[in-house]
Amino acid sequence: MALFGTIEGGGTKFVCAIGRTPDDLRDVVTFPTTTPDETLRMTISFFSEQDPLDAIGIAMFGPLDLDRSSATYGSVRATPKPGWSRVDVVSPVSEAFGVPVGFDTDVNGAALGEGRWGAGRGLETFLYVTIGTGIGGGGVIAGDSIHGLVHPEIGHLRIPRHPEDSFPGACPFHGDCLEGLAAGPAIAARWGRSATDLGPDSDRAIEFEAFALGQAMANLVLTVSPERIILGGGVMKIPGLLDATRQQMLASLGGYVDASIFADGAVDFLVAPELGDRSGIAGGLVLAERASSGLNR
Amino acid sequence: MALFGTIEGGGTKFVCAIGRTPDDLRDVVTFPTTTPDETLRMTISFFSEQDPLDAIGIAMFGPLDLDRSSATYGSVRATPKPGWSRVDVVSPVSEAFGVPVGFDTDVNGAALGEGRWGAGRGLETFLYVTIGTGIGGGGVIAGDSIHGLVHPEIGHLRIPRHPEDSFPGACPFHGDCLEGLAAGPAIAARWGRSATDLGPDSDRAIEFEAFALGQAMANLVLTVSPERIILGGGVMKIPGLLDATRQQMLASLGGYVDASIFADGAVDFLVAPELGDRSGIAGGLVLAERASSGLNR
């Protein structure tokens, strides 16, 4: 029976594990994402102590170079994350263990994990969007992960403003793009409290947040026509936010899309991850399995 | 040598032709889109007078039922176009000639035509967006036409407003969505003249139009990561508009996407159709050829 290593490389923390499915993980470690040297050293050290692996999958924060014909395939592209621009992630892992290494974005990885074991099971076309410290999206279209010019970012979509919302936005590139209005740091900057501290008394904050997310979800429906959108990340744990986002999405679509899947307030269309916080680590297992089969995207 | 029929079924006019490539069309007719009965009767009458065909492809205005497991596959879904909701388009053609019939949206068809003979040649992931009486988009992702829950609409994307633009928008569903701000009827309603009458003295109109289109193009880049976007339709014939849209798209992206394909002001990224007005009719040929090979999407 094959044994895989999986790496969920996030901007805040790295999670590494060994196993075959998200339910049979033998060992799991979590450590903060510091410098590339230190972080990759700890990663390699963890796997070195394990039984021999058949393949390793890496679901990594981006943007990434995923073009296998590129000289810099397997590396992080220009990123605001200090020290991580142009860092080759695949080669050190590949050279340390001499096994196939699968590589994709954290969000495409999470989509793959949910597609195999979670809320994306049986679907041909679906998206996974995470709303946390940043906003990012990935997904599967007609059974294949989305890879184009760069990869779907989704985080920086340009959306209309809530008419009563004058917050200038927190994105250093765009100000009031989706991430600038709705990611965790934007919530903290606007309301003076973190997303986890918002609750039932935070009607206005939840309304603005759901409005921004609802516009973005409507645009995704009108662009990619997914069968389902899975919304993960820490911000989505705000009580009431998922349902408020469903309502704003439907309001934004304005009855234009005639689809039974939007019945019952879209409860089966816009959903939480079934794997909870394990979507990404599960995705790394799928990437490892694919790499061991000679599939690299 | 196989001989194909091709139908470009637009909301304003139907074009029917016979051939194998857009350069060897034997016969072409164009007639206005009136009632479904009359329009389909004229279509069938045209092909009846031709040599026997191996297959027919239909690139049709939507929304369409493209789900082959659906009882109403091959029909138009709910549409504001009077009389056309729930009309079965494929069956009458299929029954009249007893040959395989390919069927897709007009914009996916145009994308297929450009992909075979035009601006999409050699690309795995690209979009075709038409800006005319309405706005619609289709495309190819990783070599396959996009088909999801419904199909990509793109026309009704929600976008930010130009800060100095107070036009309420002309979309009956959404007011100021992309189509409500930037399609032909919106231009006519806002400026009192049709898009074809805008010219070098229409700086403000072109600025607002390019702003709206630029936001939408940026969102498509950030969602689908296409290698190229082909912009067709009558509105795009306004002198200077394509280049102004490139500039607004790059401004909206704000340097966030690090891609060599945006070099030289994105002249190779955001392009006009190479087949001019023949993209759709060419797409019908590709759909016919696919149908004759037993491929239906």
Side-chain angles (χ1 to χ4, degrees), chain A residues 17-106:
Chain A
I18 305 284
R20 279 184 308 270
T21 78
D23 290 327
D24 78 349
L25 297 179
R26 281 201 203 173
D27 197 0
V28 183
V29 294
T30 300
F31 44 87
T33 306
T34 57
T35 64
D37 276 355
E38 183 180 36
T39 309
L40 291 173
R41 190 172 49 69
M42 291 183 69
T43 300
I44 289 169
S45 166
F46 167 75
F47 289 114
S48 300
E49 294 159 9
Q50 307 289 338
D51 287 339
L53 301 169
D54 293 281
I56 298 173
I58 307 175
M60 179 78 194
F61 74 84
L64 305 176
D65 186 342
L66 296 166
D67 175 0
R68 295 189 65 84
S69 67
S70 160
T72 53
Y73 168 80
S75 63
V76 181
R77 298 164 71 111
T79 170
K81 178 85 179 161
W84 282 86
S85 292
R86 319 289 174 203
V87 168
D88 184 349
V89 175
V90 167
S91 296
V93 175
S94 177
E95 285 160 14
F97 302 102
V99 298
V101 175
F103 184 59
D104 209 329
T105 60
D106 47 1

XYZ file of all heavy atoms in Angstrom, chain A residues 17-106:
681
model
N 2.180 16.074 6.897
C 1.588 14.838 7.409
C 1.949 13.675 6.497
O 2.452 13.858 5.386
C 0.072 14.981 7.534
N 1.657 12.486 7.016
C 1.938 11.223 6.338
C 0.659 10.395 6.336
O -0.013 10.331 7.363
C 2.971 10.394 7.155
C 4.224 11.194 7.428
C 3.274 9.065 6.499
C 5.113 11.310 6.250
N 0.336 9.783 5.216
C -0.845 8.934 5.207
C -1.318 8.642 3.795
O -0.566 8.798 2.828
N -2.572 8.210 3.734
C -3.173 7.937 2.432
C -4.482 8.693 2.250
O -4.852 9.074 1.153
C -3.439 6.441 2.261
C -2.230 5.636 1.852
C -2.618 4.202 1.619
N -3.340 3.660 2.746
C -2.770 3.048 3.785
N -1.455 2.882 3.818
N -3.489 2.601 4.773
N -5.220 8.868 3.345
C -6.477 9.619 3.304
C -6.483 10.556 4.513
O -5.726 10.349 5.463
C -7.717 8.693 3.398
O -7.888 8.301 4.776
C -7.556 7.438 2.534
N -7.361 11.565 4.504
C -7.373 12.484 5.651
C -7.811 11.801 6.948
O -7.619 12.352 8.031
C -8.366 13.584 5.219
C -9.071 13.070 4.018
C -8.217 12.010 3.402
N -8.370 10.595 6.861
C -8.789 9.885 8.083
C -7.737 8.931 8.631
O -7.929 8.376 9.710
C -10.085 9.105 7.811
C -11.263 10.043 7.631
O -11.265 11.112 8.286
O -12.144 9.730 6.818
N -6.658 8.698 7.892
C -5.655 7.757 8.405
C -4.270 8.400 8.504
O -3.261 7.743 8.296
C -5.607 6.486 7.529
C -4.839 6.705 6.231
O -4.526 7.873 5.901
O -4.523 5.711 5.557
N -4.250 9.700 8.826
C -2.961 10.387 8.915
C -2.158 9.811 10.085
O -2.635 9.768 11.216
C -3.173 11.892 9.092
C -3.875 12.595 7.923
C -4.044 14.084 8.229
C -3.120 12.410 6.614
N -0.943 9.364 9.798
C -0.105 8.751 10.837
C 0.543 9.761 11.748
O 0.730 9.537 12.928
C 1.050 8.013 10.158
C 0.677 6.710 9.610
C 1.976 5.935 9.470
N 1.809 4.912 8.477
C 2.795 4.171 8.038
N 4.032 4.375 8.485
N 2.578 3.245 7.148
N 0.945 10.854 11.150
C 1.689 11.831 11.933
C 1.432 13.188 11.290
O 1.373 13.294 10.069
C 3.185 11.490 11.881
C 3.958 12.201 12.982
O 3.330 12.949 13.766
O 5.180 12.013 13.048
N 1.244 14.192 12.121
C 0.976 15.537 11.615
C 1.799 16.525 12.425
O 1.810 16.438 13.655
C -0.528 15.918 11.771
C -0.798 17.295 11.176
C -1.433 14.876 11.139
N 2.494 17.436 11.753
C 3.166 18.515 12.484
C 2.752 19.855 11.885
O 2.431 19.942 10.707
C 4.709 18.433 12.422
C 5.221 17.198 13.142
C 5.215 18.507 10.993
N 2.778 20.876 12.732
C 2.464 22.235 12.299
C 3.550 23.155 12.844
O 3.919 23.030 14.011
C 1.093 22.671 12.859
O 0.099 21.778 12.362
C 0.747 24.085 12.432
N 4.076 24.013 11.979
C 5.047 24.990 12.473
C 4.861 26.287 11.701
O 4.310 26.290 10.592
C 6.491 24.467 12.359
C 6.819 23.791 11.060
C 7.267 24.527 9.976
C 6.694 22.405 10.916
C 7.582 23.910 8.771
C 7.005 21.779 9.722
C 7.458 22.533 8.640
N 5.295 27.421 12.277
C 5.068 28.702 11.600
C 5.901 28.822 10.329
O 7.000 28.283 10.243
C 5.494 29.748 12.643
C 6.330 29.018 13.619
C 5.925 27.584 13.593
N 5.372 29.528 9.353
C 6.099 29.835 8.126
C 7.046 30.992 8.427
O 6.603 32.117 8.643
C 5.118 30.254 7.017
O 4.129 29.231 6.885
C 5.823 30.458 5.694
N 8.348 30.673 8.499
C 9.329 31.735 8.769
C 10.118 31.991 7.491
O 9.529 32.233 6.452
C 10.245 31.330 9.939
O 10.876 30.076 9.617
C 9.434 31.165 11.224
N 11.435 31.917 7.554
C 12.212 32.098 6.323
C 12.086 30.837 5.477
O 11.828 29.747 5.989
C 13.706 32.306 6.637
O 14.206 31.100 7.244
C 13.920 33.475 7.580
N 12.290 30.972 4.167
C 12.228 29.773 3.325
C 13.239 28.706 3.777
O 12.888 27.527 3.861
C 12.575 30.296 1.925
C 12.218 31.743 1.954
C 12.448 32.195 3.363
N 14.469 29.115 4.095
C 15.496 28.139 4.503
C 15.047 27.336 5.717
O 15.080 26.109 5.715
C 16.816 28.859 4.852
C 17.643 29.126 3.613
O 17.223 28.668 2.518
O 18.688 29.797 3.722
N 14.632 28.055 6.741
C 14.252 27.378 7.979
C 13.004 26.526 7.771
O 12.918 25.380 8.240
C 13.997 28.415 9.086
C 13.674 27.760 10.422
C 13.423 28.803 11.524
O 12.835 29.876 11.229
O 13.814 28.531 12.662
N 12.023 27.061 7.055
C 10.752 26.363 6.883
C 10.954 25.082 6.069
O 10.421 24.024 6.413
C 9.732 27.298 6.200
O 9.690 28.526 6.911
C 8.347 26.677 6.178
N 11.727 25.177 4.985
C 11.953 23.983 4.168
C 12.835 22.977 4.918
O 12.668 21.764 4.770
C 12.570 24.379 2.819
C 11.595 25.156 1.907
C 12.307 25.674 0.660
C 10.400 24.282 1.507
N 13.761 23.464 5.731
C 14.599 22.568 6.528
C 13.741 21.769 7.509
O 13.897 20.547 7.658
C 15.657 23.393 7.277
C 16.741 22.549 7.958
C 17.875 23.415 8.521
N 17.417 24.550 9.322
C 16.830 24.469 10.510
N 16.602 23.282 11.051
N 16.450 25.554 11.165
N 12.793 22.431 8.163
C 11.920 21.723 9.110
C 11.025 20.722 8.385
O 10.748 19.629 8.888
C 11.078 22.729 9.899
C 11.931 23.555 10.857
S 10.945 24.685 11.870
C 10.067 23.508 12.919
N 10.585 21.111 7.217
C 9.742 20.216 6.410
C 10.501 18.942 6.064
O 10.003 17.820 6.257
C 9.326 20.951 5.111
O 8.597 22.130 5.464
C 8.467 20.058 4.226
N 11.719 19.112 5.564
C 12.512 17.953 5.140
C 12.892 17.100 6.349
O 12.882 15.871 6.300
C 13.742 18.447 4.346
C 13.269 18.974 2.983
C 14.787 17.337 4.180
C 14.311 19.730 2.194
N 13.167 17.769 7.447
C 13.517 17.054 8.672
C 12.359 16.151 9.130
O 12.552 14.999 9.507
C 13.881 18.087 9.750
O 13.915 17.477 11.010
N 11.137 16.654 9.044
C 9.965 15.858 9.451
C 9.837 14.592 8.602
O 9.685 13.489 9.128
C 8.695 16.702 9.334
C 7.424 15.900 9.419
C 6.972 15.392 10.639
C 6.668 15.627 8.276
C 5.798 14.645 10.714
C 5.497 14.880 8.352
C 5.064 14.387 9.568
N 9.930 14.742 7.297
C 9.745 13.569 6.433
C 10.921 12.594 6.538
O 10.758 11.395 6.333
C 9.526 14.001 4.977
C 8.187 14.654 4.740
C 8.105 15.993 4.393
C 7.015 13.923 4.888
C 6.874 16.594 4.186
C 5.771 14.520 4.683
C 5.699 15.868 4.330
N 12.113 13.121 6.887
C 13.287 12.253 7.003
C 13.132 11.231 8.126
O 13.737 10.160 8.106
C 14.536 13.092 7.284
O 14.755 14.010 6.259
N 12.313 11.594 9.105
C 12.139 10.708 10.265
C 11.059 9.656 10.035
O 10.770 8.855 10.924
C 11.762 11.544 11.492
C 12.885 12.477 11.921
C 12.377 13.641 12.774
O 11.184 13.620 13.171
O 13.162 14.569 13.021
N 10.430 9.680 8.872
C 9.311 8.777 8.611
C 9.762 7.575 7.776
O 10.863 7.553 7.237
C 8.221 9.538 7.827
C 7.782 10.840 8.474
C 6.972 10.626 9.734
O 6.386 9.557 9.930
N 6.966 11.621 10.611
N 8.857 6.586 7.665
C 9.085 5.484 6.735
C 9.245 6.048 5.315
O 8.772 7.148 5.034
C 7.877 4.531 6.745
C 7.830 3.717 8.035
O 8.890 3.586 8.696
O 6.738 3.239 8.386
N 9.864 5.276 4.436
C 10.026 5.761 3.058
C 8.674 6.051 2.402
O 7.704 5.293 2.590
C 10.719 4.586 2.352
C 11.390 3.821 3.441
C 10.508 3.970 4.649
N 8.628 7.148 1.655
C 7.388 7.587 1.012
C 7.418 7.259 -0.475
O 8.489 7.174 -1.084
C 7.239 9.100 1.189
C 7.199 9.588 2.640
C 7.331 11.101 2.699
C 5.904 9.126 3.293
N 6.213 7.098 -1.045
C 6.115 6.844 -2.481
C 6.062 8.139 -3.280
O 6.417 8.161 -4.459
C 4.870 6.006 -2.771
C 5.018 4.611 -2.183
O 5.702 3.799 -2.813
O 4.500 4.373 -1.077
N 5.559 9.172 -2.660
C 5.453 10.471 -3.334
C 5.085 11.516 -2.291
O 4.596 11.184 -1.204
C 4.383 10.437 -4.431
N 5.310 12.783 -2.630
C 4.971 13.892 -1.740
C 4.174 14.915 -2.536
O 4.496 15.197 -3.698
C 6.249 14.538 -1.155
C 7.020 13.510 -0.305
C 5.908 15.780 -0.322
C 8.389 13.985 0.174
N 3.123 15.443 -1.917
C 2.327 16.489 -2.562
C 2.450 17.789 -1.795
O 2.421 17.790 -0.562
N 2.601 18.886 -2.526
C 2.743 20.196 -1.888
C 1.612 21.102 -2.370
O 1.506 21.387 -3.569
C 4.089 20.860 -2.256
C 5.262 19.913 -1.960
C 4.245 22.188 -1.524
C 6.626 20.472 -2.414
N 0.760 21.551 -1.443
C -0.270 22.554 -1.737
C 0.211 23.846 -1.077
O 0.235 23.960 0.140
C -1.621 22.106 -1.179
N 0.592 24.809 -1.884
C 1.457 25.914 -1.438
C 0.827 27.275 -1.705
O 0.208 27.468 -2.754
C 2.751 25.762 -2.252
C 3.814 26.782 -2.022
S 4.710 26.416 -0.472
C 5.564 27.990 -0.272
N 1.041 28.222 -0.774
C 0.547 29.582 -1.054
C 1.257 30.151 -2.283
O 2.399 29.822 -2.554
C 0.725 30.494 0.166
C 2.137 30.938 0.462
C 2.690 32.049 -0.185
C 2.916 30.268 1.400
C 3.982 32.478 0.098
C 4.203 30.677 1.679
C 4.745 31.784 1.026
N 0.561 30.956 -3.025
C 1.097 31.433 -4.294
C 1.320 32.921 -4.298
O 1.296 33.535 -3.243
N 1.516 33.496 -5.466
C 1.442 32.836 -6.773
C 2.636 31.917 -7.025
O 3.727 32.165 -6.513
C 1.425 34.012 -7.757
C 2.052 35.159 -7.030
C 1.705 34.956 -5.587
N 2.402 30.872 -7.802
C 3.418 29.855 -8.066
C 3.722 29.760 -9.556
O 2.874 30.076 -10.384
C 2.899 28.481 -7.610
C 2.431 28.348 -6.163
C 1.873 26.946 -5.926
C 3.574 28.644 -5.197
N 4.902 29.281 -9.867
C 5.190 28.910 -11.248
C 4.818 27.435 -11.428
O 5.504 26.540 -10.941
C 6.665 29.134 -11.586
C 6.933 28.894 -13.073
O 6.091 28.240 -13.739
O 7.971 29.351 -13.571
N 3.715 27.207 -12.124
C 3.172 25.857 -12.316
C 3.365 25.362 -13.747
O 2.835 24.318 -14.119
C 1.673 25.853 -11.982
C 1.328 26.177 -10.530
C -0.155 26.479 -10.382
C 1.735 25.028 -9.617
N 4.116 26.124 -14.523
C 4.330 25.778 -15.926
C 5.520 24.818 -16.024
O 6.673 25.214 -15.848
C 4.603 27.065 -16.713
C 4.964 26.796 -18.164
O 5.004 25.618 -18.583
O 5.217 27.783 -18.879
N 5.234 23.555 -16.325
C 6.293 22.553 -16.295
C 7.352 22.753 -17.366
O 8.432 22.154 -17.304
C 5.701 21.149 -16.383
C 4.839 20.824 -15.151
C 4.421 19.371 -15.128
N 5.555 18.505 -14.980
C 6.129 18.187 -13.824
N 5.663 18.676 -12.704
N 7.168 17.389 -13.785
N 7.065 23.615 -18.346
C 8.090 23.883 -19.354
C 8.970 25.068 -18.944
O 9.899 25.436 -19.651
C 7.418 24.172 -20.699
O 6.693 25.374 -20.629
N 8.664 25.660 -17.786
C 9.417 26.834 -17.331
C 10.674 26.420 -16.571
O 10.693 25.407 -15.862
C 8.515 27.675 -16.416
O 9.282 28.531 -15.592
N 11.726 27.228 -16.702
C 12.971 26.953 -15.985
C 12.785 27.092 -14.475
O 13.535 26.533 -13.691
C 14.068 27.899 -16.455
N 11.766 27.860 -14.079
C 11.554 28.094 -12.649
C 10.300 27.368 -12.136
O 9.735 27.751 -11.109
C 11.448 29.601 -12.357
O 10.449 30.160 -13.221
C 12.767 30.290 -12.607
N 9.882 26.307 -12.850
C 8.761 25.482 -12.368
C 9.024 25.054 -10.924
O 10.137 24.673 -10.580
C 8.590 24.225 -13.228
C 7.650 23.214 -12.582
C 6.274 23.375 -12.667
C 8.153 22.131 -11.852
C 5.406 22.480 -12.044
C 7.290 21.226 -11.222
C 5.920 21.405 -11.320
O 5.072 20.526 -10.706
N 7.987 25.087 -10.120
C 8.120 24.606 -8.750
C 8.516 25.680 -7.760
O 8.750 25.384 -6.589
N 8.557 26.934 -8.232
C 8.964 28.006 -7.321
C 7.805 28.971 -7.074
O 6.809 28.984 -7.791
C 10.161 28.763 -7.900
O 9.795 29.389 -9.108
N 7.968 29.771 -6.035
C 7.027 30.847 -5.747
C 7.371 32.009 -6.670
O 8.544 32.303 -6.905
C 7.150 31.277 -4.264
C 6.172 32.387 -3.928
C 6.949 30.078 -3.340
N 6.351 32.664 -7.224
C 6.588 33.853 -8.040
C 6.677 35.072 -7.116
O 6.702 34.926 -5.893
C 5.457 34.000 -9.051
C 5.373 32.816 -10.018
C 4.058 32.768 -10.752
N 3.958 33.833 -11.712
C 3.964 33.663 -13.029
N 4.053 32.454 -13.553
N 3.868 34.693 -13.838
N 6.696 36.271 -7.718
C 6.767 37.489 -6.908
C 5.622 37.502 -5.904
O 4.467 37.378 -6.267
C 6.679 38.715 -7.815
N 5.955 37.645 -4.639
C 4.939 37.626 -3.576
C 5.285 38.686 -2.545
O 6.469 38.951 -2.293
C 4.882 36.238 -2.879
O 4.058 36.349 -1.709
C 6.255 35.768 -2.446
N 4.259 39.312 -1.948
C 4.553 40.262 -0.862
C 5.123 39.574 0.385
O 5.676 40.249 1.252
C 3.186 40.893 -0.557
C 2.181 40.279 -1.474
C 2.841 39.227 -2.300
N 5.041 38.255 0.488
C 5.550 37.535 1.662
C 7.080 37.660 1.696
O 7.765 37.124 0.813
C 5.135 36.068 1.540
C 5.629 35.160 2.644
C 4.726 35.186 3.851
C 5.256 34.250 4.921
N 4.697 34.572 6.239
N 7.644 38.347 2.716
C 9.083 38.660 2.693
C 9.960 37.417 2.551
O 9.780 36.431 3.270
C 9.316 39.353 4.041
C 7.983 39.884 4.449
C 6.972 38.907 3.902
N 10.896 37.466 1.609
C 11.879 36.406 1.445
C 11.444 35.263 0.552
O 12.268 34.443 0.148
N 10.158 35.171 0.233
C 9.660 33.989 -0.476
C 9.596 34.157 -2.000
O 9.361 33.170 -2.709
C 8.292 33.576 0.071
C 8.418 32.834 1.376
C 8.488 33.379 2.618
C 8.521 31.412 1.551
N 8.631 32.391 3.571
C 8.640 31.160 2.939
C 8.523 30.310 0.682
C 8.770 29.883 3.478
C 8.635 29.030 1.209
C 8.758 28.832 2.583
N 9.797 35.370 -2.520
C 9.748 35.541 -3.974
C 10.861 34.734 -4.625
O 12.012 34.778 -4.172
C 9.906 37.020 -4.350
O 8.779 37.761 -3.938
N 10.495 33.997 -5.690
C 11.468 33.239 -6.500
C 12.092 32.058 -5.750
O 13.115 31.536 -6.182
C 12.614 34.133 -7.016
C 12.212 35.508 -7.501
C 11.457 35.465 -8.789
N 10.967 36.792 -9.169
C 9.950 37.004 -9.978
N 9.299 35.990 -10.525
N 9.556 38.222 -10.274
N 11.516 31.651 -4.647
C 12.066 30.505 -3.908
C 11.606 29.190 -4.541
O 10.410 28.992 -4.776
C 11.626 30.550 -2.426
C 11.947 29.229 -1.719
C 12.312 31.712 -1.728
N 12.552 28.322 -4.842
C 12.249 26.999 -5.396
C 11.822 26.070 -4.258
O 12.597 25.818 -3.334
C 13.495 26.454 -6.099
C 13.243 25.125 -6.795
O 12.181 24.508 -6.577
O 14.125 24.705 -7.567
N 10.609 25.598 -4.311
C 10.068 24.753 -3.247
C 10.171 23.272 -3.617
O 10.454 22.421 -2.780
C 8.587 25.133 -2.977
C 7.952 24.201 -1.966
C 8.494 26.579 -2.506
N 9.932 22.973 -4.895
C 9.880 21.572 -5.306
C 11.269 20.918 -5.278
O 11.427 19.799 -4.775
C 9.235 21.440 -6.703
C 9.446 20.053 -7.280
C 7.739 21.752 -6.620
N 12.279 21.591 -5.813
C 13.594 20.947 -5.953
C 14.172 20.452 -4.622
O 14.636 19.304 -4.550
C 14.588 21.897 -6.628
O 14.171 22.169 -7.935
N 14.177 21.262 -3.550
C 14.751 20.749 -2.294
C 14.045 19.486 -1.804
O 14.701 18.557 -1.316
C 14.537 21.901 -1.303
C 14.349 23.112 -2.137
C 13.746 22.660 -3.431
N 12.730 19.438 -1.934
C 11.979 18.266 -1.472
C 12.266 17.075 -2.380
O 12.513 15.951 -1.931
C 10.466 18.592 -1.434
C 9.647 17.354 -1.085
C 10.187 19.725 -0.451
N 12.244 17.340 -3.665
C 12.494 16.290 -4.644
C 13.895 15.701 -4.480
O 14.087 14.480 -4.486
C 12.309 16.910 -6.034
O 12.596 15.998 -7.023
N 14.880 16.586 -4.279
C 16.267 16.117 -4.151
C 16.510 15.388 -2.834
O 17.289 14.437 -2.760
C 17.230 17.296 -4.299
C 17.355 17.751 -5.765
C 17.891 19.166 -5.910
O 18.423 19.706 -4.911
O 17.775 19.722 -7.022
N 15.815 15.806 -1.796
C 16.025 15.170 -0.495
C 15.499 13.732 -0.460
O 16.057 12.883 0.235
C 15.343 16.000 0.610
N 14.432 13.453 -1.206
C 13.789 12.138 -1.056
C 13.769 11.301 -2.334
O 13.481 10.109 -2.283
C 12.371 12.301 -0.505
C 12.362 13.004 0.822
C 12.024 14.343 0.920
C 12.771 12.330 1.971
C 12.059 15.004 2.137
C 12.809 12.990 3.192
C 12.458 14.330 3.282
N 14.070 11.928 -3.474
C 14.136 11.154 -4.719
C 12.822 10.485 -5.100
O 12.823 9.417 -5.718
N 11.698 11.093 -4.704
C 10.384 10.547 -5.082
C 9.631 11.606 -5.899
O 9.981 12.786 -5.860
C 9.542 10.159 -3.833
C 10.253 9.064 -3.044
C 9.268 11.388 -2.958
N 8.592 11.188 -6.625
C 7.798 12.177 -7.365
C 7.165 13.199 -6.412
O 6.726 12.832 -5.308
C 6.712 11.334 -8.040
C 7.255 9.941 -8.089
C 8.130 9.808 -6.869
N 7.131 14.463 -6.843
C 6.562 15.534 -6.028
C 5.452 16.221 -6.819
O 5.693 16.725 -7.918
C 7.643 16.557 -5.621
C 7.013 17.736 -4.883
C 8.708 15.890 -4.747
N 4.237 16.216 -6.282
C 3.133 16.962 -6.875
C 3.105 18.369 -6.307
O 3.489 18.581 -5.153
N 2.654 19.322 -7.096
C 2.777 20.722 -6.690
C 1.615 21.513 -7.260
O 1.334 21.442 -8.460
C 4.103 21.255 -7.234
C 4.461 22.668 -6.850
C 4.589 23.040 -5.523
C 4.698 23.626 -7.829
C 4.952 24.335 -5.174
C 5.062 24.927 -7.490
C 5.189 25.276 -6.156
N 0.921 22.223 -6.402
C -0.142 23.107 -6.885
C -0.407 24.148 -5.814
O 0.182 24.114 -4.733
C -1.411 22.296 -7.201
C -2.244 22.937 -8.314
O -2.232 24.172 -8.438
O -2.908 22.179 -9.048
N -1.301 25.082 -6.110
C -1.631 26.111 -5.135
C -2.384 25.507 -3.953
O -3.025 24.459 -4.069
C -2.531 27.191 -5.753
O -3.736 26.578 -6.200
C -1.845 27.853 -6.935
N -2.322 26.199 -2.822
C -3.055 25.741 -1.636
C -4.548 25.611 -1.925
O -5.189 24.659 -1.464
C -2.799 26.674 -0.433
C -2.931 28.160 -0.770
O -3.241 28.505 -1.937
O -2.722 28.984 0.139
